[in-house]
Amino acid sequence: MHIACPHCLAVNRVPDERLRDDPTCGRCGKPVLDGHPVELNDQTLATVAARTELPVVVDFWAPWCGPCRQMAPQFQAAAAQLKGRVLFAKVNSDDSPAASSQYGIRSIPTMVLLHGGREVARQSGAMSAGQIVQWLESRIG
């Protein structure tokens, strides 16, 4: 399985059986799949999404958004539950207007599920961890 490092963008080859073992980047040594959402931006989102073979779910949010702040710990909990199966990422819409525009983000929070760099599903509105996991599992199998 190829996983792009969200920190240095190097592509790492991780055996399927080791996806849940907190793999680290061979170049920078930072975690690539540790069960926590990673911060992406205009410069990193497209590269990480296109170079990662796992599904990537992106939470578009903003710090001033109440529902976004309410969903943040739920998104974190879902990331821990689906560790090694989905790469969870957060994109601050205010700081990354190009990414928000590219994906047509009209309301936040909005989650976009990407596979092979292409959008396969989206969901707007705050959700609980259980709802996020259920939504993702119904799409990734």
Side-chain angles (χ1 to χ4, degrees), residues 7 20 30 55 68-69 86 114:
H7 310 287
R20 295 178 190 239
K30 293 183 179 176
C68 298
R69 289 194 317 271
V86 178
L114 306 170

Side-chain angles (χ1 to χ4, degrees), residues 21-41:
D21 295 342
D22 296 334
T24 57
C25 178
R27 181 187 296 165
C28 72
K30 293 183 179 176
V32 292
L33 284 176
D34 64 355
H36 293 75
V38 297
E39 297 286 338
L40 299 178
N41 57 39

Side-chain angles (χ1 to χ4, degrees), residues 47-76:
T47 302
V48 170
R51 294 183 179 174
T52 298
E53 291 179 337
L54 283 177
V56 177
V57 63
V58 182
D59 173 24
F60 287 89
W61 70 286
W64 51 262
C65 168
C68 298
R69 289 194 317 271
Q70 289 177 328
M71 192 175 90
Q74 302 301 314
F75 193 72
Q76 168 70 41

Side-chain angles (χ1 to χ4, degrees), residues 70-82 88 111 126-137:
Q70 289 177 328
M71 192 175 90
Q74 302 301 314
F75 193 72
Q76 168 70 41
Q81 288 180 16
L82 294 176
F88 281 71
M111 290 184 299
M127 298 172 73
S128 70
Q131 291 170 320
I132 295 168
V133 169
Q134 184 178 28
W135 179 72
L136 289 169
E137 285 183 332

